[in-house]
Amino acid sequence: MALDFDGKTVWITGASSGIGAALAREWAQRGASLVLSGRDEARLSQVADGLECETLVLPFDVRDEAAMREATEKATAWKEGGVDVFVANAGVSQRSLAVDTNMAVYREIIDIDLTAQIAATQALLPHMVGRGSGRFVFISSVAGKVGVPMRTAYCAAKHGLIGYADALRAELVMSGIDVHVVTPGSVATNVSRNALEADGSARGRSDKAIDEGIPADEAATAIIDAVALNQREIVVARGMEQAMAEARRTPDQLLDQVARMVENGYVEKMQRSDT
């Protein structure tokens, strides 16, 4: 049976545009209350104004850990029961060859797309564990499964996000908390226009693959449908990108095998061996 989101509280980062805003619209239609986060309060408010549901706008830069922790306290206190679903969606892409790219670009992309997403999850994790239920939804990319040219930093971050999510899922297998990894292909957003070039400047233009990509609202519907069905790894792509993601999909049998390790006492055995 698919999960009903009516009355649930969903917190989305990177919610001011693109996939994040589309997810907000779709979850609102399904009866959820929305916490919207991103750097631009005005754009977040515009998204909130278009939703027919209760919303809480919590603007902050994901790299500001103090602000993120303050937002976590506000988000969990907003509704009785706290946050039911957390969507780690904030991110920035890249369009530059490795040989040309400043190391500062690697640090910025990995900080935003990986380290900050881990920090936000870690801040919310005690709340989820304490309530004994919840869902983490990590928006990675087909580039988190397949190395794509001109995206070495982005691929590194998105591969890392999947690794964190998969390990977290295994640890939480008996906690009542579910973990989902989403690997979108080309979705019609500003991701290419906002991507960083070799010197760290914004690219400022889109490309044909993105412009002709899956409409953001269509992608959001597919993502939420799959989360409702408790799919652990969710591919949202077409054509060659879908084929690449499916070729690198982690088999359910392998995810089950790692989960059984935890169920059979792996953590306890490791902890005893450390003492």
Side-chain angles (χ1 to χ4, degrees), residues 63-85:
R63 293 167 292 184
D64 185 338
E65 195 160 340
M68 175 270 294
R69 290 189 174 278
E70 182 180 350
T72 300
E73 293 178 5
K74 292 178 179 178
T76 54
W78 182 47
K79 292 286 186 180
E80 185 177 356
V83 174
D84 297 288
V85 181

PDB file of all heavy atoms in Angstrom, residues 63-85:
ATOM      1  N   ARG A  63      25.582  25.952   4.005  1.00  0.00           N
ATOM      2  CA  ARG A  63      26.957  25.885   4.497  1.00  0.00           C
ATOM      3  C   ARG A  63      27.120  26.537   5.858  1.00  0.00           C
ATOM      4  O   ARG A  63      28.167  26.402   6.491  1.00  0.00           O
ATOM      5  CB  ARG A  63      27.897  26.549   3.494  1.00  0.00           C
ATOM      6  CG  ARG A  63      28.015  25.808   2.179  1.00  0.00           C
ATOM      7  CD  ARG A  63      28.688  26.619   1.122  1.00  0.00           C
ATOM      8  NE  ARG A  63      27.859  27.767   0.714  1.00  0.00           N
ATOM      9  CZ  ARG A  63      28.174  28.604  -0.252  1.00  0.00           C
ATOM     10  NH1 ARG A  63      29.307  28.468  -0.902  1.00  0.00           N
ATOM     11  NH2 ARG A  63      27.365  29.600  -0.568  1.00  0.00           N
ATOM     12  N   ASP A  64      26.096  27.242   6.321  1.00  0.00           N
ATOM     13  CA  ASP A  64      26.122  27.908   7.626  1.00  0.00           C
ATOM     14  C   ASP A  64      25.543  26.937   8.652  1.00  0.00           C
ATOM     15  O   ASP A  64      24.336  26.848   8.833  1.00  0.00           O
ATOM     16  CB  ASP A  64      25.300  29.198   7.566  1.00  0.00           C
ATOM     17  CG  ASP A  64      25.376  30.012   8.843  1.00  0.00           C
ATOM     18  OD1 ASP A  64      25.698  29.446   9.906  1.00  0.00           O
ATOM     19  OD2 ASP A  64      25.085  31.226   8.788  1.00  0.00           O
ATOM     20  N   GLU A  65      26.420  26.198   9.324  1.00  0.00           N
ATOM     21  CA  GLU A  65      25.953  25.126  10.204  1.00  0.00           C
ATOM     22  C   GLU A  65      25.162  25.650  11.391  1.00  0.00           C
ATOM     23  O   GLU A  65      24.185  25.022  11.819  1.00  0.00           O
ATOM     24  CB  GLU A  65      27.131  24.273  10.680  1.00  0.00           C
ATOM     25  CG  GLU A  65      26.693  22.964  11.292  1.00  0.00           C
ATOM     26  CD  GLU A  65      27.798  21.920  11.319  1.00  0.00           C
ATOM     27  OE1 GLU A  65      28.769  22.043  10.551  1.00  0.00           O
ATOM     28  OE2 GLU A  65      27.676  20.979  12.117  1.00  0.00           O
ATOM     29  N   ALA A  66      25.531  26.805  11.910  1.00  0.00           N
ATOM     30  CA  ALA A  66      24.780  27.370  13.037  1.00  0.00           C
ATOM     31  C   ALA A  66      23.361  27.723  12.602  1.00  0.00           C
ATOM     32  O   ALA A  66      22.388  27.434  13.312  1.00  0.00           O
ATOM     33  CB  ALA A  66      25.497  28.605  13.579  1.00  0.00           C
ATOM     34  N   ALA A  67      23.237  28.331  11.436  1.00  0.00           N
ATOM     35  CA  ALA A  67      21.905  28.676  10.917  1.00  0.00           C
ATOM     36  C   ALA A  67      21.100  27.424  10.619  1.00  0.00           C
ATOM     37  O   ALA A  67      19.883  27.376  10.843  1.00  0.00           O
ATOM     38  CB  ALA A  67      22.049  29.533   9.662  1.00  0.00           C
ATOM     39  N   MET A  68      21.770  26.398  10.121  1.00  0.00           N
ATOM     40  CA  MET A  68      21.094  25.143   9.824  1.00  0.00           C
ATOM     41  C   MET A  68      20.557  24.491  11.087  1.00  0.00           C
ATOM     42  O   MET A  68      19.417  24.001  11.129  1.00  0.00           O
ATOM     43  CB  MET A  68      22.052  24.212   9.091  1.00  0.00           C
ATOM     44  CG  MET A  68      21.511  22.813   8.812  1.00  0.00           C
ATOM     45  SD  MET A  68      21.878  21.670  10.167  1.00  0.00           S
ATOM     46  CE  MET A  68      23.658  21.605  10.051  1.00  0.00           C
ATOM     47  N   ARG A  69      21.332  24.515  12.151  1.00  0.00           N
ATOM     48  CA  ARG A  69      20.883  23.917  13.407  1.00  0.00           C
ATOM     49  C   ARG A  69      19.716  24.705  14.008  1.00  0.00           C
ATOM     50  O   ARG A  69      18.780  24.122  14.570  1.00  0.00           O
ATOM     51  CB  ARG A  69      22.043  23.818  14.394  1.00  0.00           C
ATOM     52  CG  ARG A  69      23.078  22.779  13.982  1.00  0.00           C
ATOM     53  CD  ARG A  69      24.109  22.510  15.055  1.00  0.00           C
ATOM     54  NE  ARG A  69      24.985  21.429  14.664  1.00  0.00           N
ATOM     55  CZ  ARG A  69      24.714  20.138  14.795  1.00  0.00           C
ATOM     56  NH1 ARG A  69      23.564  19.784  15.359  1.00  0.00           N
ATOM     57  NH2 ARG A  69      25.564  19.222  14.401  1.00  0.00           N
ATOM     58  N   GLU A  70      19.757  26.021  13.877  1.00  0.00           N
ATOM     59  CA  GLU A  70      18.640  26.839  14.336  1.00  0.00           C
ATOM     60  C   GLU A  70      17.374  26.517  13.534  1.00  0.00           C
ATOM     61  O   GLU A  70      16.276  26.406  14.086  1.00  0.00           O
ATOM     62  CB  GLU A  70      18.982  28.323  14.198  1.00  0.00           C
ATOM     63  CG  GLU A  70      17.897  29.252  14.700  1.00  0.00           C
ATOM     64  CD  GLU A  70      18.270  30.717  14.559  1.00  0.00           C
ATOM     65  OE1 GLU A  70      19.443  31.016  14.247  1.00  0.00           O
ATOM     66  OE2 GLU A  70      17.378  31.579  14.757  1.00  0.00           O
ATOM     67  N   ALA A  71      17.540  26.348  12.216  1.00  0.00           N
ATOM     68  CA  ALA A  71      16.404  25.988  11.368  1.00  0.00           C
ATOM     69  C   ALA A  71      15.857  24.612  11.745  1.00  0.00           C
ATOM     70  O   ALA A  71      14.633  24.394  11.731  1.00  0.00           O
ATOM     71  CB  ALA A  71      16.820  26.006   9.908  1.00  0.00           C
ATOM     72  N   THR A  72      16.735  23.690  12.100  1.00  0.00           N
ATOM     73  CA  THR A  72      16.296  22.354  12.503  1.00  0.00           C
ATOM     74  C   THR A  72      15.422  22.424  13.747  1.00  0.00           C
ATOM     75  O   THR A  72      14.375  21.753  13.831  1.00  0.00           O
ATOM     76  CB  THR A  72      17.508  21.442  12.764  1.00  0.00           C
ATOM     77  OG1 THR A  72      18.286  21.346  11.570  1.00  0.00           O
ATOM     78  CG2 THR A  72      17.072  20.050  13.180  1.00  0.00           C
ATOM     79  N   GLU A  73      15.815  23.233  14.700  1.00  0.00           N
ATOM     80  CA  GLU A  73      15.007  23.398  15.913  1.00  0.00           C
ATOM     81  C   GLU A  73      13.631  23.962  15.589  1.00  0.00           C
ATOM     82  O   GLU A  73      12.609  23.516  16.130  1.00  0.00           O
ATOM     83  CB  GLU A  73      15.738  24.305  16.905  1.00  0.00           C
ATOM     84  CG  GLU A  73      17.014  23.696  17.480  1.00  0.00           C
ATOM     85  CD  GLU A  73      17.739  24.653  18.418  1.00  0.00           C
ATOM     86  OE1 GLU A  73      17.200  25.749  18.681  1.00  0.00           O
ATOM     87  OE2 GLU A  73      18.835  24.294  18.886  1.00  0.00           O
ATOM     88  N   LYS A  74      13.586  24.941  14.691  1.00  0.00           N
ATOM     89  CA  LYS A  74      12.300  25.543  14.314  1.00  0.00           C
ATOM     90  C   LYS A  74      11.430  24.570  13.527  1.00  0.00           C
ATOM     91  O   LYS A  74      10.214  24.491  13.744  1.00  0.00           O
ATOM     92  CB  LYS A  74      12.547  26.817  13.499  1.00  0.00           C
ATOM     93  CG  LYS A  74      13.164  27.956  14.297  1.00  0.00           C
ATOM     94  CD  LYS A  74      13.416  29.166  13.419  1.00  0.00           C
ATOM     95  CE  LYS A  74      14.015  30.319  14.218  1.00  0.00           C
ATOM     96  NZ  LYS A  74      14.309  31.502  13.364  1.00  0.00           N
ATOM     97  N   ALA A  75      12.058  23.831  12.619  1.00  0.00           N
ATOM     98  CA  ALA A  75      11.299  22.890  11.787  1.00  0.00           C
ATOM     99  C   ALA A  75      10.686  21.772  12.625  1.00  0.00           C
ATOM    100  O   ALA A  75       9.519  21.396  12.433  1.00  0.00           O
ATOM    101  CB  ALA A  75      12.187  22.309  10.695  1.00  0.00           C
ATOM    102  N   THR A  76      11.456  21.231  13.556  1.00  0.00           N
ATOM    103  CA  THR A  76      10.955  20.111  14.354  1.00  0.00           C
ATOM    104  C   THR A  76       9.917  20.546  15.376  1.00  0.00           C
ATOM    105  O   THR A  76       9.093  19.739  15.814  1.00  0.00           O
ATOM    106  CB  THR A  76      12.112  19.397  15.067  1.00  0.00           C
ATOM    107  OG1 THR A  76      12.869  20.347  15.829  1.00  0.00           O
ATOM    108  CG2 THR A  76      13.034  18.726  14.061  1.00  0.00           C
ATOM    109  N   ALA A  77       9.940  21.832  15.740  1.00  0.00           N
ATOM    110  CA  ALA A  77       8.984  22.336  16.733  1.00  0.00           C
ATOM    111  C   ALA A  77       7.704  22.872  16.094  1.00  0.00           C
ATOM    112  O   ALA A  77       6.727  23.148  16.792  1.00  0.00           O
ATOM    113  CB  ALA A  77       9.633  23.450  17.564  1.00  0.00           C
ATOM    114  N   TRP A  78       7.700  23.018  14.776  1.00  0.00           N
ATOM    115  CA  TRP A  78       6.585  23.697  14.092  1.00  0.00           C
ATOM    116  C   TRP A  78       5.273  22.930  14.222  1.00  0.00           C
ATOM    117  O   TRP A  78       4.229  23.495  14.506  1.00  0.00           O
ATOM    118  CB  TRP A  78       6.948  23.888  12.618  1.00  0.00           C
ATOM    119  CG  TRP A  78       5.910  24.618  11.810  1.00  0.00           C
ATOM    120  CD1 TRP A  78       5.271  25.772  12.149  1.00  0.00           C
ATOM    121  CD2 TRP A  78       5.397  24.232  10.528  1.00  0.00           C
ATOM    122  NE1 TRP A  78       4.403  26.137  11.147  1.00  0.00           N
ATOM    123  CE2 TRP A  78       4.468  25.219  10.143  1.00  0.00           C
ATOM    124  CE3 TRP A  78       5.670  23.170   9.669  1.00  0.00           C
ATOM    125  CZ2 TRP A  78       3.776  25.163   8.927  1.00  0.00           C
ATOM    126  CZ3 TRP A  78       4.996  23.119   8.459  1.00  0.00           C
ATOM    127  CH2 TRP A  78       4.061  24.094   8.107  1.00  0.00           C
ATOM    128  N   LYS A  79       5.299  21.625  14.001  1.00  0.00           N
ATOM    129  CA  LYS A  79       4.105  20.795  14.052  1.00  0.00           C
ATOM    130  C   LYS A  79       4.265  19.709  15.105  1.00  0.00           C
ATOM    131  O   LYS A  79       5.359  19.203  15.328  1.00  0.00           O
ATOM    132  CB  LYS A  79       3.852  20.131  12.694  1.00  0.00           C
ATOM    133  CG  LYS A  79       3.448  21.088  11.587  1.00  0.00           C
ATOM    134  CD  LYS A  79       2.022  21.551  11.782  1.00  0.00           C
ATOM    135  CE  LYS A  79       1.561  22.386  10.612  1.00  0.00           C
ATOM    136  NZ  LYS A  79       0.170  22.834  10.786  1.00  0.00           N
ATOM    137  N   GLU A  80       3.156  19.325  15.719  1.00  0.00           N
ATOM    138  CA  GLU A  80       3.196  18.229  16.673  1.00  0.00           C
ATOM    139  C   GLU A  80       3.704  16.971  15.973  1.00  0.00           C
ATOM    140  O   GLU A  80       3.232  16.606  14.915  1.00  0.00           O
ATOM    141  CB  GLU A  80       1.801  17.978  17.247  1.00  0.00           C
ATOM    142  CG  GLU A  80       1.769  16.925  18.333  1.00  0.00           C
ATOM    143  CD  GLU A  80       0.391  16.741  18.948  1.00  0.00           C
ATOM    144  OE1 GLU A  80      -0.535  17.497  18.571  1.00  0.00           O
ATOM    145  OE2 GLU A  80       0.250  15.845  19.800  1.00  0.00           O
ATOM    146  N   GLY A  81       4.682  16.348  16.562  1.00  0.00           N
ATOM    147  CA  GLY A  81       5.276  15.161  15.946  1.00  0.00           C
ATOM    148  C   GLY A  81       6.524  15.456  15.154  1.00  0.00           C
ATOM    149  O   GLY A  81       7.291  14.557  14.844  1.00  0.00           O
ATOM    150  N   GLY A  82       6.713  16.738  14.784  1.00  0.00           N
ATOM    151  CA  GLY A  82       7.945  17.121  14.115  1.00  0.00           C
ATOM    152  C   GLY A  82       7.930  16.891  12.618  1.00  0.00           C
ATOM    153  O   GLY A  82       6.895  16.972  11.958  1.00  0.00           O
ATOM    154  N   VAL A  83       9.093  16.588  12.066  1.00  0.00           N
ATOM    155  CA  VAL A  83       9.281  16.441  10.620  1.00  0.00           C
ATOM    156  C   VAL A  83       9.149  14.972  10.229  1.00  0.00           C
ATOM    157  O   VAL A  83       9.831  14.108  10.779  1.00  0.00           O
ATOM    158  CB  VAL A  83      10.666  16.976  10.200  1.00  0.00           C
ATOM    159  CG1 VAL A  83      10.927  16.702   8.721  1.00  0.00           C
ATOM    160  CG2 VAL A  83      10.773  18.463  10.494  1.00  0.00           C
ATOM    161  N   ASP A  84       8.275  14.702   9.272  1.00  0.00           N
ATOM    162  CA  ASP A  84       8.062  13.332   8.795  1.00  0.00           C
ATOM    163  C   ASP A  84       8.992  12.967   7.647  1.00  0.00           C
ATOM    164  O   ASP A  84       9.431  11.823   7.549  1.00  0.00           O
ATOM    165  CB  ASP A  84       6.608  13.165   8.325  1.00  0.00           C
ATOM    166  CG  ASP A  84       5.611  13.353   9.447  1.00  0.00           C
ATOM    167  OD1 ASP A  84       5.525  12.458  10.309  1.00  0.00           O
ATOM    168  OD2 ASP A  84       4.926  14.395   9.470  1.00  0.00           O
ATOM    169  N   VAL A  85       9.255  13.934   6.762  1.00  0.00           N
ATOM    170  CA  VAL A  85      10.082  13.689   5.577  1.00  0.00           C
ATOM    171  C   VAL A  85      11.071  14.828   5.429  1.00  0.00           C
ATOM    172  O   VAL A  85      10.681  16.005   5.479  1.00  0.00           O
ATOM    173  CB  VAL A  85       9.227  13.584   4.299  1.00  0.00           C
ATOM    174  CG1 VAL A  85      10.118  13.296   3.088  1.00  0.00           C
ATOM    175  CG2 VAL A  85       8.147  12.520   4.429  1.00  0.00           C
TER     176      VAL A  85
END
